Amino acid sequence: MSGAATTTAGEKAIPEFKQIMGHPAPLWMLFMTEFWERFAFYGIRWALVLYIVAQFYGGSGVGQADANLTYGSYLALVYAGAVFGGYIADRVIGYQRAILVGAVFMAAGLFAITVPNPDVFKLGLATIIVGNGMFKPNISTMVGQLYGINDQRRDSGFTIFYMGINTGAFFAPILTGWLAESMAGSTGVPAYKAVFFAAGIGMILSLVWFQIGRRGLKGIGAPVGELASPTRLAGVVIGSLVVIPVVYFLLKLGANTLQGILTVLFIGLALMLLVEGIRNGKVARDKTIAMLIIFFFNVMFWCFFEQAGSSFTFLAENIVRRDFGGWVFPTGWFQSVNSIAIIVCAPIVAAVWVAMGRKNPSIPRKFGLGLLFNGLAFLLLMFALTSLVGPDSKIPFWTLFMVYVIQSIGELCLSPIGLSMVTKLAPTRLVGLGMGGWFLSTGIGNNLSGIFASHVSGESGMTTASALSGYTFGFWALIGSGVILFLIAPLIQKLMHGVK
C-alpha cells in the first residue's frame, strides 16, 4: 500500500505523493513555511504593546489602553484580511501565488515598523495585515488539499501542521526577547527595533522556503487557466498597494468603529457562503449553517484567549512576581509557554481523539471543551488575584504560567479542529472564502479582545482590582458559552450530515 491519498467519486484527483511519517511529503514543506511565518508573526507579538507604551507614551501607564486597542485592531484586521486573501486565491491568482505575494508584503511591513514614528508604525502594521491576509488562509487550505475528504489522516495532518505553527511561535519570543534585552541602551528600554528586524528576516526565510519547495506540491494550489495570467498577478500586487492606505485608515479609526465594520463584513461573507450552500442543495446548506454557528463561538473563544498579547502582557510586566534570586524572567518569554504546551500536548490530544474511536467528541463538543478550558484559566486568575496577592501587590509566577498552559489545552480542542472543519463544511467552490470566514470570526474576537483589555487596564494602567474585575467577567462569559454549546451540540451535529 503506497499510503497516497485516495479519492472518491466527485472529488478532485490528488497526486501520488511520497509519504513521510504516514503523511504526504508536501505537508512537511508547508510545516516549515508556516514555522518561519509564525516565527515572524509571534516574534513581534509580545513587543507591540510594550513598544507603543515605551516609544509613544514615554512608558506611562496611560498608554496601556491605547496599546491594547491598537493591538486588538491590528490582530482583527490581520484575520479579517484572510477573507479577501481566500477569495483572491480562489478566484484570481491561485493559492501558491497568493502565498508568495503575501510573504513579500509581510516582510516589507516588518521592516517598516522599525521606524520609530507613529504614522510609519501603523503604515507598517497595515502592510503586514495585507500580506498576512493573502498568506495565512491559503497555506491552511493547501494542507487540506493534500488529503481526500474522507481521509482519516486529515485531522492528524492539521494537528501536525498546527505544531509547525507553535514551534515557530515558541522560538520567536525567546530569540527576539533575548535580542531586545541584550541590545538595550543605557535607559534600559529593550531594543524593539532588533525584534522587528529579526521578524523580517524570519519572513524572508518563509518566502524562500516555499518558493524552493512548491515544486513538490505537484500542482496543488498552482494557478490554472485564467488564474495563471501575469496580468492578474500584477493587478493583485497593485491592488494590494492601494489597499494598504485603506487599512492604515481603519487602524486610525479605532477599535469601536472597526467592530461595526467587521460585523457588517462578516454578515456579508455569511450570506455569500449561505447562498452558495443553498445553490448546492440541502446538505450543503445545512453544513454551511453549522459552520456559521460554530464561527460565533469561535469569536467568544478568541476574545478572551488573545489577552495573551495585550492585558496578560501588562499583567506579567506589573503584577506577576518574576524575580528569581536576582534573575528576572523576561515578560516576552511568557508567550513561549503557550507554544511549548501546544508542542508537548498536541500529540497527546491527537492520540486521545484516535483512541476514543466512536466515542470521540463531536466537533461542536470539542469547541465546547475549548471554551470551558479557557474559562478555567480565568478562574485560576480570579483565585490568584483574590487569595495569592503578596505584600508587593503581585501574584506568584506559577499562576500566569499555568494560565497559558490551561488555555493551550483549550486551544488544542478548538483551533486545529476548526481549520479541518472548514475544509469539510464550506461549499466546495468557496473553501478559501470559508477559511477566510474562520479567520474573520477570529479577527472579530481579537478586536473585542483589545476592547476588553482596554477596560482591564483602565484609564491609568492595570491594577489588581481592575484585573480581577475584568477576568471575572471573562470567566463567566466563557463558561456560559461552553455550556450553551454543549447543549446545542446534537442539533449542530445533525446539520453536519455525518461530518466528524
Side-chain angles (χ1 to χ4, degrees), residues 18-33:
K18 176 183 176 182
Q19 304 294 297
I20 298 177
M21 297 178 65
H23 288 273
L27 173 66
W28 304 99
M29 183 275 290
L30 296 175
F31 175 104
M32 287 305 301
T33 301

Side-chain angles (χ1 to χ4, degrees), residues 212-236:
I212 293 173
R214 67 184 180 129
R215 67 191 68 177
L217 289 165
K218 297 184 178 180
I220 293 288
V224 294
E226 293 183 353
L227 272 64
S229 167
T231 303
R232 288 194 171 204
L233 178 60
V236 167

Side-chain angles (χ1 to χ4, degrees), residues 90-104:
D90 278 333
R91 300 293 184 89
V92 186
I93 60 173
Y95 297 98
Q96 290 189 19
R97 281 182 167 182
I99 289 169
L100 290 169
V101 172
V104 170

Side-chain angles (χ1 to χ4, degrees), residues 13-52:
I14 297 175
E16 184 92 6
F17 291 118
K18 176 183 176 182
Q19 304 294 297
I20 298 177
M21 297 178 65
H23 288 273
L27 173 66
W28 304 99
M29 183 275 290
L30 296 175
F31 175 104
M32 287 305 301
T33 301
E34 184 71 349
F35 169 92
W36 285 114
E37 187 271 335
R38 290 293 90 180
F39 177 92
F41 189 84
Y42 283 94
I44 68 171
R45 183 191 190 208
W46 70 270
L48 286 174
V49 293
L50 297 176
Y51 172 73
I52 291 170

Side-chain angles (χ1 to χ4, degrees), residues 160-482:
I160 290 170
F161 178 70
Y162 208 65
M163 287 179 67
I165 293 173
N166 285 281
T167 304
F170 167 71
F171 286 108
I174 293 176
L175 177 58
T176 58
W178 172 78
L179 281 173
E181 296 292 342
S182 63
M183 298 178 68
S186 58
T187 61
V189 177
Y192 295 108
K193 285 185 181 180
V195 172
F196 304 149
F197 187 83
I201 296 297
M203 197 62 237
I204 289 176
L205 289 173
S206 177
L207 169 64
V208 172
W209 193 279
F210 184 76
Q211 172 61 24
I212 293 173
R214 67 184 180 129
R215 67 191 68 177
L217 289 165
K218 297 184 178 180
I220 293 288
V224 294
E226 293 183 353
L227 272 64
S229 167
T231 303
R232 288 194 171 204
L233 178 60
V236 167
V237 172
I238 295 170
S240 298
L241 291 171
V242 172
V243 167
I244 289 172
V246 176
V247 177
Y248 167 80
F249 175 72
L250 291 174
L251 283 172
K252 296 280 283 186
L253 279 178
N256 291 307
T257 302
L258 181 60
Q259 189 61 38
I261 295 172
L262 291 175
T263 300
V264 171
L265 183 62
F266 182 80
I267 292 171
L269 176 143
L271 289 173
M272 290 177 65
L273 290 169
L274 192 56
V275 167
E276 181 67 18
I278 293 171
R279 186 179 294 134
N280 292 335
K282 179 180 182 298
V283 172
R285 179 202 65 194
D286 288 352
K287 287 181 178 180
T288 303
I289 292 171
M291 182 177 68
L292 294 174
I293 292 172
I294 291 176
F295 281 175
F296 169 79
F297 289 97
N298 190 51
V299 169
M300 291 298 299
F301 179 87
W302 293 105
C303 172
F304 298 102
F305 181 90
E306 200 44 65
Q307 297 308 301
S310 51
S311 74
F312 285 1
T313 298
F314 292 120
L315 184 75
E317 184 80 357
N318 302 315
I319 300 178
V320 174
R321 197 174 300 115
R322 298 179 289 117
D323 194 318
F324 294 92
W327 177 74
V328 179
F329 185 88
T331 298
W333 288 14
F334 275 107
Q335 301 293 324
S336 293
V337 177
N338 167 253
S339 302
I340 193 62
I342 293 291
I343 294 166
V344 170
C345 296
I348 299 172
V349 172
V352 168
W353 296 150
V354 173
M356 291 182 72
R358 292 187 176 182
K359 295 182 180 179
N360 195 343
S362 65
I363 289 175
R365 290 228 159 114
K366 286 178 181 176
F367 269 71
L369 286 171
L371 288 161
L372 293 175
F373 273 108
N374 201 354
L376 289 176
F378 278 80
L379 180 62
L380 177 55
L381 282 176
M382 289 167 59
F383 170 70
L385 290 165
T386 53
S387 304
L388 301 179
V389 179
D392 56 357
S393 299
K394 293 187 177 183
I395 60 176
F397 171 88
W398 70 267
T399 56
L400 183 56
F401 185 95
M402 286 307 301
V403 162
Y404 278 98
V405 173
I406 296 169
Q407 280 194 322
S408 300
I409 297 172
E411 183 183 2
L412 279 170
C413 293
L414 181 147
S415 198
I417 305 304
L419 295 174
S420 180
M421 174 202 71
V422 171
T423 63
K424 296 174 183 179
L425 297 181
T428 305
R429 290 196 319 120
L430 295 179
V431 173
L433 187 62
M435 193 67 75
W438 165 259
F439 288 115
L440 176 58
S441 67
T442 303
I444 291 173
N446 286 332
N447 192 60
L448 288 172
S449 79
I451 295 172
F452 174 71
S454 71
H455 290 294
V456 174
S457 285
E459 295 182 359
S460 57
M462 181 183 290
T463 63
T464 302
S466 68
L468 176 60
S469 175
Y471 297 150
T472 299
F473 174 81
F475 165 74
W476 288 112
L478 286 164
I479 294 299
S481 298

